[in-house]
Amino acid sequence: MLMHSVRKCIFGVLFGLLTCPTLSFAVSEALAIEPVESSPVIVWNREITRFRADYEDFTVAQRAKGAIERILEIPSGKAEYKIEAIDGSLGQYSGAWIRVNDKNIFGILKQDIDSESGETFEQLKQTTVDNLKAWLDIRSEQEKWPLILKGIGVSLIAFLAYGLILITSIRYGGSWLNKHAYQISNDTSKPIIIGDVNVKPYLISLEIGLFKILIWGLGLVLAYILATFVLSQFPYSEPWGTQLSTFLFELFQEFGLAIIAATPNLFTVLVIYLLTSLFVRVVTAFFRSAESGIFQSVWLQPETARATRRMVVVLVWIFALVVSYPYIPGSSSEAFKGISVFLGLMLSLGSAGMVGQVVGGLVVVYSRAFRTGEYVKIGEYEGFIREIGVLSTKMSTLKHEEITIPNAVLVGTTTVNYSRHTEGGSAVMSTTITIGYDTPWRQVHSLLLLAAERTAHIIQDPAPRVMQRALSDFYVEYQLLFRMPNPEQRYLILSELHAQIQDAFNEYGVQIMSPHFETQPDEAVVVPKSDWRKPPSRL
């Protein structure tokens, strides 16, 4: 028992951590103990070796920490180091001592080999010796002041060059961009029209944004290269610089290989796009001929051709997107699938109202309740139809107001079309007046027709006419029907007509104010037969 305690104490000194320098051994192959997670022995950002097996009460992390402490305690300043791996065993543990100048530094065990990669114990020993020798050489180089001063000087020069390039790029690039954008924006002779919209200002903004991204992207790339270069100037940080340069190289290599691998699929997508564009042009030309009246068909009217064209074009592009989706690079990746699910969720949540608007737009278009340019009254609004869109209809009033009515609302609203059934381009209008029973109806008819004759812009052929719409409790309701050439002048003509009616009734002494009796009059409110044809009656 005493001998076992002494032997454990000796190995505790050799393999201990924290306050005790360590020498690490793993369990022998005969014990076949399951290895735990590996722990690297890293000194000055360089991996010397890697432990994969525990030793008695010491974990791989504790073994690695003890080995690092013992390596850092190796005296510096020597011109040459004698580094060797000496096989050894103690009881049930077998492995090798890593010695520097005949002094044990740490130990490696046969269970520390990487069995998955097929590494042998001899290879592990040789790799460990080589890595330790390389670190000792690097430490000797790091202690040389000329090398340090050279690294500092080269790094300062690199920093100055980076700052100069970045400031010059931002200054002159921004100046050129502002001048270029100003010249393009002032050149109004070459607008870029897509549909009915001039997209030139948006393209200028996009160009400015892309140029700024290019400048800042160039700055970030140069900063990355600068960091890689500066870190590579000092032995201590050289592994970091190597990792950065390797990462950048592997990144560009991965991008290049991905582009090469995706070239056939990109070519397929390009072919699908070109074929779809050609088909869309043919479809657009066909429907535009229907819009202009060149092509006439019973099933395709000019007023429905535009909406049909848009719907067919959208469906064609959706079909092309579905066909080309499997060939889009990255379409099978989890990120692409996540974006697709997110977009689908957004469309699902926001499409309820949109579908209603679209269906409403189709109902409006294919019911042909009105066409672009017609003068209509929709609810409380009255004006010209300027545009019948997929989601809404735009109306321009006589007050130069533009009113946008959602198609879903439009479907449930009564619409009056003043332009649809006009003869010779004229529209039928009317005005209503109420006169008491004590005024001869023939005289009222004649006065209203006289006022219509005196009003400009009222068409006299066919002649206006008067109708008695109701015999109310206190008065008779007369309606004057007439034609006018332009429905948009309705309010102006009505205003002049009302003035002429007042003048005509005043001229012949007829009271326009409608009576309302509070008590029964003493005499009957009738018109004597002798007064039935008072002037200017011609009936």
Side-chain angles (χ1 to χ4, degrees):
M1 185 70 179
L2 179 61
M3 292 301 297
H4 177 73
S5 300
V6 172
R7 185 175 62 183
K8 187 174 181 179
C9 180
I10 294 173
F11 273 89
V13 174
L14 295 176
F15 293 91
L17 296 170
L18 300 175
T19 57
C20 298
T22 62
L23 172 65
S24 301
F25 277 106
V27 183
S28 65
E29 294 178 353
L31 293 179
I33 297 178
E34 185 70 22
V36 295
E37 62 178 9
S38 64
S39 183
V41 178
I42 298 178
V43 182
W44 282 27
N45 310 309
R46 289 169 172 80
E47 182 174 324
I48 306 300
T49 190
R50 182 177 292 267
F51 295 146
R52 293 181 174 85
D54 294 340
Y55 167 72
E56 291 192 349
D57 295 335
F58 299 103
T59 63
V60 289
Q62 292 173 327
R63 290 180 58 201
K65 185 176 180 181
I68 293 171
E69 293 177 354
R70 293 295 301 270
I71 292 172
L72 293 176
E73 292 177 356
I74 297 175
S76 60
K78 293 187 178 182
E80 186 175 350
Y81 292 92
K82 179 184 177 183
I83 306 171
E84 54 186 345
I86 304 299
D87 292 334
S89 62
L90 185 59
Q92 59 185 359
Y93 300 100
S94 62
W97 295 97
I98 303 301
R99 302 168 58 90
V100 177
N101 294 337
D102 299 327
K103 182 179 180 180
N104 292 337
I105 303 300
F106 62 90
I108 55 175
L109 299 177
K110 292 184 178 181
Q111 280 67 39
D112 288 329
I113 63 173
D114 187 3
S115 57
E116 294 182 359
S117 64
E119 182 184 37
T120 64
F121 187 62
E122 294 297 326
Q123 292 174 340
L124 175 61
K125 291 192 297 181
Q126 187 61 42
T127 302
T128 304
V129 170
D130 294 341
N131 291 341
L132 183 57
K133 184 177 185 306
W135 176 77
L136 291 173
D137 294 338
I138 290 297
R139 188 180 66 170
S140 300
E141 293 293 327
Q142 181 68 38
E143 295 174 352
K144 297 178 181 179
W145 277 104
L147 179 64
I148 297 176
L149 294 177
K150 178 184 176 181
I152 294 174
V154 172
S155 300
L156 290 177
I157 294 175
F159 272 109
L160 292 175
Y162 169 76
L164 182 62
I165 294 174
L166 188 61
I167 293 173
T168 303
S169 301
I170 294 176
R171 180 179 178 182
Y172 290 98
S175 177
W176 174 85
L177 181 63
N178 292 332
K179 183 178 179 180
H180 178 66
Y182 179 77
Q183 291 176 351
I184 294 179
S185 60
N186 289 338
D187 186 8
T188 58
S189 61
K190 297 180 180 179
I192 302 175
I193 305 298
I194 298 180
D196 298 330
V197 181
N198 181 15
V199 299
K200 187 174 182 179
Y202 305 103
L203 293 178
I204 294 174
S205 300
L206 178 62
E207 182 181 5
I208 294 174
L210 291 177
F211 187 83
K212 290 181 178 179
I213 293 175
L214 178 63
I215 292 295
W216 286 109
L218 177 62
L220 291 176
V221 172
L222 291 177
Y224 190 96
I225 296 175
L226 174 66
T228 303
F229 178 77
V230 172
L231 292 175
S232 301
Q233 301 305 310
F234 303 96
Y236 182 84
S237 59
E238 184 179 359
W240 292 340
T242 303
Q243 292 176 5
L244 290 178
S245 61
T246 303
F247 171 77
L248 187 62
F249 176 77
E250 291 178 351
L251 181 64
F252 285 124
Q253 184 182 25
E254 183 179 354
F255 281 162
L257 294 176
I259 292 174
I260 294 174
T263 299
N265 290 338
L266 290 175
F267 181 76
T268 304
V269 173
L270 179 61
V271 171
I272 295 174
Y273 170 77
L274 293 177
L275 293 177
T276 306
S277 299
L278 179 61
F279 184 75
V280 166
R281 288 184 180 181
V282 175
V283 170
T284 302
F286 171 74
F287 282 104
R288 287 193 184 278
S289 64
E291 292 180 46
S292 60
I294 298 176
F295 174 80
Q296 296 181 356
S297 175
V298 177
W299 59 272
L300 186 61
Q301 301 296 325
E303 57 267 23
T304 61
R306 184 181 182 185
T308 307
R309 171 176 59 85
R310 291 181 174 179
M311 184 172 59
V312 171
V313 168
V314 170
L315 291 177
V316 168
W317 280 114
I318 292 176
F319 178 77
L321 179 62
V322 172
V323 172
S324 61
Y325 180 85
Y327 301 100
I328 298 176
S331 59
S332 59
S333 63
E334 295 299 327
F336 208 104
K337 293 178 182 178
I339 294 175
S340 302
V341 172
F342 177 72
L343 293 178
L345 181 62
M346 290 181 60
L347 290 176
S348 300
L349 295 177
S351 62
M354 183 176 294
V355 170
Q357 300 292 349
V358 172
V359 173
L362 295 177
V363 172
V364 170
V365 171
Y366 289 101
S367 65
R368 294 188 292 171
F370 45 76
R371 294 190 294 261
T372 303
E374 290 185 335
Y375 189 82
V376 300
K377 182 178 181 181
I378 302 175
E380 58 180 312
Y381 303 108
E382 186 174 321
F384 292 95
I385 299 298
R386 294 301 182 194
E387 181 183 351
I388 303 176
V390 177
L391 302 178
S392 63
T393 298
K394 296 185 183 298
M395 173 190 291
S396 178
T397 67
L398 297 178
K399 299 178 182 179
H400 301 286
E401 301 170 337
E402 184 175 88
I403 300 175
T404 301
I405 304 175
N407 288 332
V409 176
L410 193 62
V411 172
T413 305
T414 302
T415 302
V416 180
N417 193 326
Y418 294 106
S419 303
R420 178 60 56 86
H421 299 292
T422 58
E423 298 179 3
S426 61
V428 178
M429 298 295 173
S430 66
T431 187
T432 303
I433 188 173
T434 56
I435 303 296
Y437 285 98
D438 54 347
T439 303
W441 64 267
R442 296 177 180 85
Q443 185 182 26
V444 176
H445 281 218
S446 299
L447 288 173
L448 290 175
L449 294 174
L450 177 61
E453 292 177 1
R454 294 177 177 179
T455 304
H457 303 297
I458 288 183
I459 299 175
Q460 301 301 322
D461 186 16
R465 60 176 180 169
V466 180
M467 302 181 67
Q468 296 185 27
R469 295 194 55 183
L471 300 176
S472 301
D473 293 339
F474 307 110
Y475 48 76
V476 181
E477 183 177 340
Y478 300 90
Q479 185 179 46
L480 175 63
L481 299 175
F482 56 93
R483 290 184 177 276
M484 60 177 64
N486 297 316
E488 61 268 23
Q489 297 180 353
R490 176 169 177 258
Y491 289 108
L492 296 176
I493 296 176
L494 282 176
S495 177
E496 184 180 353
L497 175 62
H498 293 160
Q500 294 294 346
I501 291 174
Q502 294 180 68
D503 290 343
F505 275 67
N506 289 332
E507 182 179 344
Y508 288 94
V510 178
Q511 175 180 290
I512 295 180
M513 183 175 64
S514 302
H516 285 263
F517 300 112
E518 294 184 358
T519 59
Q520 183 67 25
D522 296 333
E523 298 180 357
V525 182
V526 296
V527 179
K529 189 173 183 179
S530 59
D531 296 337
W532 282 4
R533 290 176 172 80
K534 280 188 175 183
S537 175
R538 293 177 297 216
L539 300 177

